[in-house]
C-alpha cells in the first residue's frame, strides 16, 4: 500500500512553472506556459504569492493580463497557454486609489448603468469596433492586434451571424483580491447565442470609477464550439468541467 501511494505521488502532475521577469519602467511580468483551466485559481494564487515576495515591504498592483486557450480533445479539458500577468510594486501611503467601505452596496440604478456599459462594450467587440478598446482600463495596454485576436477567438467557431452577445449580471464585489485597484466591481457572464457556439466560460469584470462611470477591468471569456462538443460527445457536466475555475 505504501508503494502504491508513492507511485501515485510520483505520477501526479507538477505545478506549472512561474517565471518572473523585470520590465523596464513597468515593473514585472509573471509568465506561465500551460496549465489546465480548472487550476486557474490556484495558479493565480501562486502568481500573487510570487509578486508579493518580489515586492517585499511594498504592495502589489496587478496590470496587464492575457492568455491563449485551447481544448485538449484527448482529455476534454480547456487549457490555458502563454499566460502573462503584469504587476508592479507601490507604496500604499502614496496610493491615490482608495478602497470603498466594506458595506458599500450598489443601487439598482448603478447595476443598470453597469449593465448598459457592458452591453455597449460587447456590441462594439462583436462588430470589431476599435472604440471598444477605449472602454478598457489603460493598465491593460491592449493593442489592436490583441483586440483583433480576442474577436477572432470569439467568432471563429460561429456557423452563422444571426446571434448576439448578451451581458448577464452576476454580482458586485468590494475591494476584491486580484484586481488592479481597490474599489467596487461588477461581474458579468456572457451569453452567446450565435449558431455554432454552445456556451461560454469566464466573464467580464467592470470597475466602478465613480457614479455612472465604468471601465472594463478584466475580459476573460472563452467560447465553446458546438461542433467540438458534438465531436467529443461532451455532456452538460463536461461543459461545466471545462469552465470550472
Amino acid at each position: 500500500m505504501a508503494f502504491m501511494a508513492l507511485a501515485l505521488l510520483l505520477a501526479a502532475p507538477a505545478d506549472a512553472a512561474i517565471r518572473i521577469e523585470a520590465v523596464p519602467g513597468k515593473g514585472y511580468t509573471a509568465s506561465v506556459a500551460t496549465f489546465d483551466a480548472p487550476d486557474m485559481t490556484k495558479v493565480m494564487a501562486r502568481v500573487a504569492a510570487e509578486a508579493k515576495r518580489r515586492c517585499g515591504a511594498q504592495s502589489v498592483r496587478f496590470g496587464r493580463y492575457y492568455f491563449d486557450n485551447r481544448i485538449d480533445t484527448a482529455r476534454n479539458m480547456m487549457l490555458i497557454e502563454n499566460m502573462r500577468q503584469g504587476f508592479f510594486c507601490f507604496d500604499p501611503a502614496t496610493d491615490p486609489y482608495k478602497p470603498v467601505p466594506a458595506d458599500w452596496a450598489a443601487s439598482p440604478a448603478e447595476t443598470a448603468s453597469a449593465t448598459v456599459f457592458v452591453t455597449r462594450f460587447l456590441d462594439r467587440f462583436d462588430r470589431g469596433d476599435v472604440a471598444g478598446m477605449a472602454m478598457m482600463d489603460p493598465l491593460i495596454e491592449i493593442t489592436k492586434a490583441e483586440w483583433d485576436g480576442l474577436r477572432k477567438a470569439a467568432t471563429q467557431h460561429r456557423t452563422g451571424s444571426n446571434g448576439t452577445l448578451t451581458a448577464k449580471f452576476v454580482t458586485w464585489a468590494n475591494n476584491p483580491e486580484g484586481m488592479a485597484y481597490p474599489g467596487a466591481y461588477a461581474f458579468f457572464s456572457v451569453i452567446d447565442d450565435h449558431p455554432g457556439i454552445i456556451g461560454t466560460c469566464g466573464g467580464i469584470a467592470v470597475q466602478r470609477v465613480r457614479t455612472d462611470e465604468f471601465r472594463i477591468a478584466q475580459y476573460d471569456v472563452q467560447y465553446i464550439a458546438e461542433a467540438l462538443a458534438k465531436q467529443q460527445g461532451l455532456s452538460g457536466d463536461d461543459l461545466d468541467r471545462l469552465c470550472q475555475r
Side-chain angles (χ1 to χ4, degrees):
M1 183 65 70
F3 175 81
M4 180 175 290
L6 176 61
L8 290 173
L9 179 63
L10 292 175
D15 286 336
I18 298 173
R19 187 174 72 253
I20 306 293
E21 297 176 296
V23 181
K26 293 186 177 181
Y28 303 90
T29 296
S31 304
V32 187
T34 303
F35 58 91
D36 293 345
D39 292 336
M40 174 69 87
T41 299
K42 182 174 68 173
V43 170
M44 293 307 294
R46 291 174 53 222
V47 167
E50 290 293 333
K52 185 175 181 179
R53 187 176 300 113
R54 184 61 61 101
C55 288
Q58 292 188 309
S59 294
V60 179
R61 174 149 291 145
F62 292 100
R64 180 174 169 78
Y65 162 78
Y66 61 96
F67 59 84
D68 300 320
N69 66 80
R70 66 179 174 87
I71 294 179
D72 180 347
T73 56
R75 297 188 298 138
N76 292 339
M77 177 68 69
M78 182 83 76
L79 297 180
I80 303 298
E81 299 183 314
N82 305 315
M83 195 193 84
R84 302 288 186 274
Q85 171 68 73
F87 69 92
F88 57 91
C89 311
F90 70 97
D91 182 352
T94 59
D95 185 23
Y97 300 98
K98 305 303 178 185
V100 295
D103 61 352
W104 182 89
S107 67
E110 197 92 47
T111 300
S113 293
T115 303
V116 168
F117 175 82
V118 179
T119 299
R120 185 165 67 250
F121 171 78
L122 286 175
D123 176 64
R124 291 176 176 177
F125 176 75
D126 202 24
R127 292 186 286 107
D129 185 347
V130 295
M133 295 171 60
M135 301 175 72
M136 306 180 81
D137 184 349
L139 199 61
I140 295 174
E141 300 179 7
I142 190 168
T143 66
K144 175 63 163 54
E146 289 165 350
W147 175 260
D148 292 342
L150 289 175
R151 186 171 184 276
K152 179 180 178 181
T155 61
Q156 62 184 340
H157 298 300
R158 294 178 183 175
T159 57
S161 58
N162 56 324
T164 58
L165 296 179
T166 304
K168 181 180 179 181
F169 172 72
V170 178
T171 190
W172 283 92
N174 296 340
N175 314 309
E177 292 288 336
M179 291 300 168
Y181 315 99
Y185 288 79
F187 292 84
F188 293 83
S189 60
V190 176
I191 299 172
D192 187 346
D193 62 3
H194 286 89
I197 302 298
I198 198 170
T200 64
C201 302
I204 295 174
V206 178
Q207 181 194 9
R208 175 186 179 274
V209 181
R210 57 184 61 86
T211 302
D212 290 335
E213 183 178 338
F214 308 93
R215 59 187 175 192
I216 304 296
Q218 190 177 94
Y219 170 91
D220 176 14
V221 185
Q222 300 94 51
Y223 300 82
I224 303 174
E226 183 177 17
L228 179 63
K230 289 181 178 179
Q231 176 187 343
Q232 297 297 315
L234 301 182
S235 67
D237 289 342
D238 292 326
L239 295 178
D240 289 341
R241 184 166 57 82
L242 281 175
C243 294
Q244 185 181 358
R245 281 288 202 258

